[in-house]
Amino acid sequence: MPLSNAKVADGTSAHPLQEGQTMVDSLTKVVACYRHLASCIGSSTDSASLRQELRQTRERAQKLALSCRNHLTARLRDKALSEEDRKETELQWVAFSSCLELFHADMCKVYHIGNCFSVAKNSAMVQTGMQGGATEVAARALSMPDLQEHSDVQTASMEGLDQSQLEQEIAQVDCTLEDMEMKVNVLRWTVEARGPQYADPVSADSASLALLSVDEDVSGSFCDRSQMFVVLLLCGVAVVAVVLSVCVVFLA
Amino acid sequence: MTIRNVRDHGQRYRPRMSCLKKMEAVVLEMQDPKTGVKSQTQRLVITTIPHAITGEDIVEWIANRFKIDAAEARAMGTMMVAFGYIYPLQDHKRLILKPDTSLYRFQTPYFWPAQQWPVEDTDYAIYLAKRNIRKKGLLELHEQEQYNNLHKWMNHKWDFIVMQAKEQYRAGKERKKPDRVVFDCQERAYWVVHRPPPGTISGMDCGLERMVDPNQEEKKTSEYFRRIIIFTQQCIMRPRVKSSVSIGALVKYTTTYKQHDPFLYPCLPSNPWLTDDVTYWHLNMPNVENPTKMRVERWTFSFGELLSDPRGRADFRLFLKKEFSGENLAFWEACEDLKWGAAATMQEKAQQIYKTFLARGAPRWINIDGKTMEITVKGLSHPHRYVLDAAQTHIYMLMKKDSYGRYLKSPVFKETQKKAVAPEAHKFSEAQLEQNAKKRRPSLSPIILRQQEEEQKAKLAASGPVDITQLCRYTAPVPHLAVYTGICENQTTASPGLMTLPNSAACPSPISVAIDSTPASERRFDSGPTSSHFPSIAESTEASVSEESQPPAAKSRVALSLSRLLRRGCNAPSVFASLSPKCAVTAGGGKVQPLGEPLAQPQPKRIANFFQIKVDIPPECRIYPIDSEDEEEESPGAARGGVKEIICPWETVTKHDGAG
C-alpha cells in the first residue's frame, strides 16, 4: 500500500480507489498528530496555543473523516463493484473506522483532561519535563508549512465553549461510528491485511536517537561509545601535550 | 474497527481502581512549586531535561504531607509508581520507589490510568510497531510474542496499525529532541505499567469488572431507596442462630474431625505431598479391599460420610443386600445419577427409575409415602433433573434413621472394622526423602481412571439388580414392605450402575409386572372396560400404597398366574411370580427372560411408546386381558420375552385431568 504524500490537495486522481486511499492516509496522519498533541495536554507544555492547535487539528480530522466516510460508503454500497476493488475498499474501510475509533478515544481523553486542567484558570499542570510545544506537529497535521502564533490568552468562557464543542464532536463521531456499522456491512473476518507484519525499520537518524536514549539498557553501549570517543580524544590531547613537553624539555 | 462485545452487560468499571482519583489529587499537590516536591534537572549526554525528582525527596514529601513514617511513605510511593503516576528514569522495568537519589518523573495526564477507559490492544500494537521501527526489529522476547499474537488476532487492521505507527513515528520526529526523549520515556513507562513484562507484578490487577463505577456517588433516587429497603427486609428475614449454638456446632465438628485433618495431625503412613511416598493414596483408593482404620472411623461420623466414600458405600450396599433392602440405596444412587448425569439421557433415566422403583409392582419397589409419591409422579410427566428430589430425600432420611444405625451394629461393619488396616508411620531420613522425590511418577491419567470406573459400573450392573418380584412365587408379600424374603440366587449385588444401562435387566422381563395385567384383570372385574385402564392406576397411585382394593383381583390373578405357569413352564430361576397384587403373572409371555440378560428387545421403541397416550385399547397396546395376552405376545413387535410394559400413569393423570 503506497503511502501517498501528506498533502490532500492533489487527491483528484481519477481512480476512486486511489482517492479513497489518499483520504484514509491523510486521516491517519492527522489522527497520529492529534495523539501527539493530546499527550501534551495537562503537562508542562499545556497552554492556550496547545488547545488552539488541538482544536484546529480536530476540525481538520472531522472534515477529512466526513469526506472519507461519504466516499467509502458510496463505494461500498455500490453493487457494481468488482471483487478486487471491493477488497481494497474494505481494507480502506477498516483502516478508516479504526482511525475514527482512535480519534474518538483521544477526544474523550482530551475532554476529560481538559476539564481537570484548565489553562484559563491557571490550574497546576503536571511537570512532565516537556519544554517545547507541539507546534510543529500541528503544522504537520494541518499540512501547513508554518503555523501562525496565536495569542496566549484564553479566557474561561472561551474554554468552556471549546469544551462544549468538543463534547458535541465526540457525540458526533459516536454517531458516525454507529452509522457506519449499520449502513455498511463489512465482515471483519474476511478482511485480510496485505502489508508486512513488521513495519520497515525506517533508516532514521539512529545516532542522534542513540545519544538521547540514555535510559535504555541497550543504550548503555551507545553511551560508552560516545564516552569512549571523548576519552580517546582527551587521551590523544594528553599524549600530544606530553610529547610537546618532552620536546620542550629536550630542546630547552 | 474493533470488535465490540456488546454483551458485556455494561460491566466496564474496574472495582479496585477507586483509589485512582485520590492518587491524582495527591500527584497534583506534588506539583506545587512551593509546597510540592523539589524538582531537578536530569542531565543527559547532550541535553538536560527538567522536572526530575529523586526518590528520597518523594518519600520525604509524602511522609511530611501525611504525617507517616518513612517506611509507609515508601510503600505509598511505590504504589504511585506501580500505578504509573510516576515513572523511574533508570531501571525502568522495576516499578518501585527507591528512597535514594534515583530519578523519577511525573507521567503526563494523557497516560494516567483511567477508570473508564480500559487499555486497548490496538494502542499496544501500534506502540510495538513503533518500537520495532525505532529499534530496527529488536523487540524483547515477551514483546515479540505479544506482537505476533496481536498480529494474528487483529489481522484485519494490521495495515492500519503499521501505517499509524509510521505516522506517529514521523510526527514524533517533528518535535524537539529533548521532548522526543521524554515522550518516548513516557510511552514506555505507560506500557510497562499496563503490559508488564513476565515475572513482574502488575499494580493494575483489579479482578472482574463491575457494572457500577465505584468512584461515582450514587444518586439517591427512588430506585436506590427501593433497593435499600429490599436489602434490609431480607436482612431481617434471614434465619438466625444463637452464637452459642453455631459455635457449639463448630466445636463439635472440630473435635470430631481434627484427627482426620492432615494439616493438624500427621497422615498415616505419611503425607504424600511431604514425603513423596504414595502409600497413603494406594491405601485409600476407592475400591480397596481393606480400608484404613481412620477411614472406617470416618464412616461412623455421619451417614453422609459413609455414602460419600465409595468404599463405605460398597460396604453399606453389602449390608443392605444381606438385609434385602438394597433398593433404597439403589434408588438413591439412581437419583444421584439423574441429577448429575447428562441431559440427553435424562428422560430415559427418569422413566427407568420410575419403572424400576416407583411404579406399582415395580421390581425394586421403594417405600415412600403417598404424598411424596404423588408429587413425584406428577413431576415425572415433565421430568427434569430434580424431579425425584423429594423422593430421594425421603429415602435418604429413611436410610439414615433406620438402616444406618443397624449397619453400625451389624456384623458386616464389625468385620470391616476388624480387617481395617492401621499403617505404621513412615520415618524417612533425608536421603530417603530425596530418593522418593526422584522417584516421583505421575499418577494414572483421569481418562484411564474413568474407563475403569465405567467398567466397574458395567460389571455391577451386569450382575443384576435385586428384584423383589423374583421372590418366592407362592408367597404374596405385601408390596409396601421394604423387606422381602427369599431372594433368588441370581440376584447378587444390587447394581448401582443400573440406571446407566437402560437396556440392561433393569426391567426384567418378568416385569410383566404387567401393571397392565392388574388393570386388565381389574377391568375384567370392574364394570366393563372403562375407556382406559388408567383410571385404576391413577386411583391406585393416588391412594395410599396399601391396596385394599386389590385382594379380590389378586386372587384371580394368582389363579391366572398359576395356570399360566403351568401352561408355560417357566424357567425356575427366572420366575418371579410374586403373586403380589403388584406383580402380575409372568408375562404369560412364553419364556421368561432370566434376569441379567439385557433386554434384547426393541427398547427404543418401547421408550418411544412409553409416553403415548393410549385412549382406548388400541390393537398394539399391550394391555390386554391376561388370556389374550399370550397370543398377542407372540405377535411381532412384542418382546421375545413377552415383557409387558408399564405404562406410566401420568399419561392418565394428564388425560384424566385434562391438563398437562
Side-chain angles (χ1 to χ4, degrees), chain B residues 279-415:
Chain B
T279 320
Y280 177 76
W281 287 334
H282 287 317
L283 288 177
N284 285 307
M285 297 268 276
N287 295 311
V288 77
E289 183 62 37
N290 292 323
T292 57
K293 277 214 183 338
M294 299 289 276
R295 197 172 176 183
V296 175
E297 195 186 326
R298 266 205 299 277
W299 299 347
T300 62
F301 290 162
S302 80
F303 186 52
E305 281 279 342
L306 177 67
L307 276 192
S308 52
D309 186 353
R311 181 67 183 79
R313 207 192 281 190
D315 222 37
F316 189 57
R317 201 178 295 132
L318 187 67
F319 163 73
L320 287 178
K321 192 189 88 179
K322 295 219 158 95
E323 285 215 341
F324 309 118
S325 49
E327 67 275 1
N328 285 341
L329 185 61
F331 175 71
W332 185 87
E333 284 177 331
C335 289
E336 284 289 291
D337 188 39
L338 182 70
K339 267 206 299 205
W340 303 107
T345 49
M346 222 166 56
Q347 199 136 27
E348 281 175 34
K349 281 191 198 157
Q351 294 167 23
Q352 288 293 342
I353 294 177
Y354 176 79
K355 278 202 271 193
T356 317
F357 293 103
L358 296 171
R360 271 180 44 212
R364 311 188 69 189
W365 189 79
I366 54 163
N367 181 17
I368 50 180
D369 64 305
K371 192 156 183 300
T372 317
M373 179 66 101
E374 186 186 328
I375 298 170
T376 311
V377 167
K378 246 206 220 144
L380 277 169
S381 53
H382 299 287
H384 56 90
R385 240 171 241 284
Y386 305 102
V387 64
L388 297 169
D389 232 17
Q392 189 187 7
T393 317
H394 182 94
I395 290 293
Y396 182 87
M397 297 313 279
L398 199 70
M399 287 198 287
K400 179 169 158 180
K401 290 187 186 131
D402 186 30
S403 319
Y404 181 56
R406 279 183 285 126
Y407 166 73
L408 290 179
K409 302 193 193 96
S410 71
V412 174
F413 180 65
K414 296 219 185 318
E415 183 72 29

Side-chain angles (χ1 to χ4, degrees), chain A residues 39 98 101 106 195 197-198 216, chain B residues 1-2 108 110 144 147 159:
Chain A
S39 69
S98 318
E101 277 168 11
D106 281 344
Q197 180 175 351
Y198 293 96
E216 305 194 17
Chain B
M1 207 179 198
T2 324
T108 178
Y110 181 79
Q144 189 75 43
Y147 194 69
D159 286 341

Side-chain angles (χ1 to χ4, degrees), chain A residues 120-187:
Chain A
K121 297 187 201 124
N122 278 329
S123 43
M125 301 293 179
V126 182
Q127 293 163 354
T128 52
M130 294 282 206
Q131 293 157 298
T135 326
E136 298 84 5
V137 180
R140 182 185 163 87
L142 301 170
S143 313
M144 293 200 274
D146 188 14
L147 213 55
Q148 57 267 45
E149 274 300 314
H150 294 265
S151 62
D152 261 327
V153 173
Q154 187 168 15
T155 60
S157 58
M158 269 172 71
E159 211 167 87
L161 208 67
D162 211 14
Q163 289 288 94
S164 56
Q165 200 179 14
L166 180 53
E167 215 179 325
Q168 279 172 7
E169 287 183 11
I170 292 175
Q172 207 178 356
V173 172
D174 232 347
C175 281
T176 317
L177 280 168
E178 266 191 61
D179 272 343
M180 279 166 50
E181 292 290 313
M182 294 297 144
K183 286 197 188 135
V184 178
N185 185 20
V186 174
L187 303 170

Side-chain angles (χ1 to χ4, degrees), chain A residues 17-198:
Chain A
L17 204 63
Q18 202 64 27
E19 200 182 314
Q21 190 57 50
T22 323
M23 284 202 271
V24 170
D25 288 347
S26 39
L27 182 63
T28 315
K29 185 177 64 102
V30 175
V31 168
C33 296
Y34 190 75
R35 180 161 272 216
H36 269 278
L37 289 171
S39 69
C40 294
I41 197 168
S43 73
S44 44
T45 55
D46 197 0
S47 60
S49 53
L50 180 72
R51 303 291 172 109
Q52 186 86 341
E53 283 153 14
L54 272 169
R55 203 183 62 236
Q56 287 175 325
T57 319
R58 197 176 70 230
E59 281 162 12
R60 171 106 178 140
Q62 293 271 37
K63 274 204 301 263
L64 272 174
L66 200 62
S67 58
C68 203
R69 184 193 77 173
N70 293 337
H71 175 90
L72 283 177
T73 323
R75 286 267 293 171
L76 281 172
R77 291 177 101 180
D78 176 17
K79 303 269 192 260
L81 206 57
S82 72
E83 257 320 297
E84 185 58 35
D85 274 354
R86 185 159 276 274
K87 279 206 196 293
E88 284 280 348
T89 319
E90 280 185 357
L91 270 174
Q92 288 170 14
W93 178 262
V94 169
F96 169 62
S97 62
S98 318
C99 259
L100 217 55
E101 277 168 11
L102 277 188
F103 183 52
H104 182 258
D106 281 344
M107 278 205 294
C108 284
K109 281 200 179 167
V110 166
Y111 177 70
H112 186 79
I113 299 174
N115 276 340
C116 305
F117 297 92
S118 163
V119 169
K121 297 187 201 124
N122 278 329
S123 43
M125 301 293 179
V126 182
Q127 293 163 354
T128 52
M130 294 282 206
Q131 293 157 298
T135 326
E136 298 84 5
V137 180
R140 182 185 163 87
L142 301 170
S143 313
M144 293 200 274
D146 188 14
L147 213 55
Q148 57 267 45
E149 274 300 314
H150 294 265
S151 62
D152 261 327
V153 173
Q154 187 168 15
T155 60
S157 58
M158 269 172 71
E159 211 167 87
L161 208 67
D162 211 14
Q163 289 288 94
S164 56
Q165 200 179 14
L166 180 53
E167 215 179 325
Q168 279 172 7
E169 287 183 11
I170 292 175
Q172 207 178 356
V173 172
D174 232 347
C175 281
T176 317
L177 280 168
E178 266 191 61
D179 272 343
M180 279 166 50
E181 292 290 313
M182 294 297 144
K183 286 197 188 135
V184 178
N185 185 20
V186 174
L187 303 170
R188 291 166 186 94
W189 50 90
T190 54
V191 176
E192 258 184 65
R194 301 230 176 138
Q197 180 175 351
Y198 293 96

Side-chain angles (χ1 to χ4, degrees), chain A residues 1 3-4 21 24-25 27-33 35-45 90-91 93-99 101-102 104-106 108-110 112-113 116-117 124-137 140 174 177 181 186-189 191-206 208-209 211-218 223 226, chain B residues 1-4 21 24 27-28 30-33 37 39 42-51 53 87 89-93 105-112 114 116-117 122-123 126 129-140 144 147-148 151 155-160 162-188 190:
Chain A
M1 217 184 308
L3 286 172
S4 53
Q21 190 57 50
V24 170
D25 288 347
L27 182 63
T28 315
K29 185 177 64 102
V30 175
V31 168
C33 296
R35 180 161 272 216
H36 269 278
L37 289 171
S39 69
C40 294
I41 197 168
S43 73
S44 44
T45 55
E90 280 185 357
L91 270 174
W93 178 262
V94 169
F96 169 62
S97 62
S98 318
C99 259
E101 277 168 11
L102 277 188
H104 182 258
D106 281 344
C108 284
K109 281 200 179 167
V110 166
H112 186 79
I113 299 174
C116 305
F117 297 92
M125 301 293 179
V126 182
Q127 293 163 354
T128 52
M130 294 282 206
Q131 293 157 298
T135 326
E136 298 84 5
V137 180
R140 182 185 163 87
D174 232 347
L177 280 168
E181 292 290 313
V186 174
L187 303 170
R188 291 166 186 94
W189 50 90
V191 176
E192 258 184 65
R194 301 230 176 138
Q197 180 175 351
Y198 293 96
D200 304 322
V202 181
S203 57
D205 35 341
S206 54
S208 63
L209 271 183
L211 283 175
L212 293 169
S213 51
V214 219
D215 307 321
E216 305 194 17
D217 314 307
V218 196
C223 240
S226 59
Chain B
M1 207 179 198
T2 324
I3 297 173
R4 282 177 207 275
K21 277 239 166 335
E24 284 170 14
V27 168
L28 286 176
M30 287 167 105
Q31 307 302 321
D32 194 306
V37 186
S39 102
Q42 178 197 17
R43 275 172 221 293
L44 292 180
V45 180
I46 52 168
T47 177
T48 59
I49 304 180
H51 302 149
I53 44 184
Y87 62 94
L89 297 176
Q90 300 118 355
D91 198 9
H92 64 274
K93 286 207 202 131
R105 192 171 276 135
F106 292 107
Q107 180 69 280
T108 178
Y110 181 79
F111 284 135
W112 278 356
Q116 58 267 52
W117 302 303
T122 318
D123 293 337
I126 294 173
K130 255 199 300 189
R131 207 166 144 79
N132 189 49
I133 297 174
R134 244 187 55 213
K135 300 187 84 176
K136 296 184 206 342
L138 210 69
L139 290 176
E140 295 194 33
Q144 189 75 43
Y147 194 69
N148 294 337
H151 176 72
N155 189 273
H156 61 280
K157 26 169 140 167
W158 206 255
D159 286 341
F160 160 73
V162 167
M163 205 161 53
Q164 176 73 212
K166 283 201 208 164
E167 287 297 336
Q168 284 190 8
Y169 179 72
R170 290 198 192 127
K173 284 215 282 187
E174 299 280 339
R175 305 178 82 162
K176 302 190 188 55
K177 291 208 176 130
D179 288 347
R180 271 160 81 188
V181 174
V182 172
F183 180 73
D184 288 337
C185 290
Q186 284 173 349
E187 206 178 9
R188 187 183 62 188
Y190 177 72

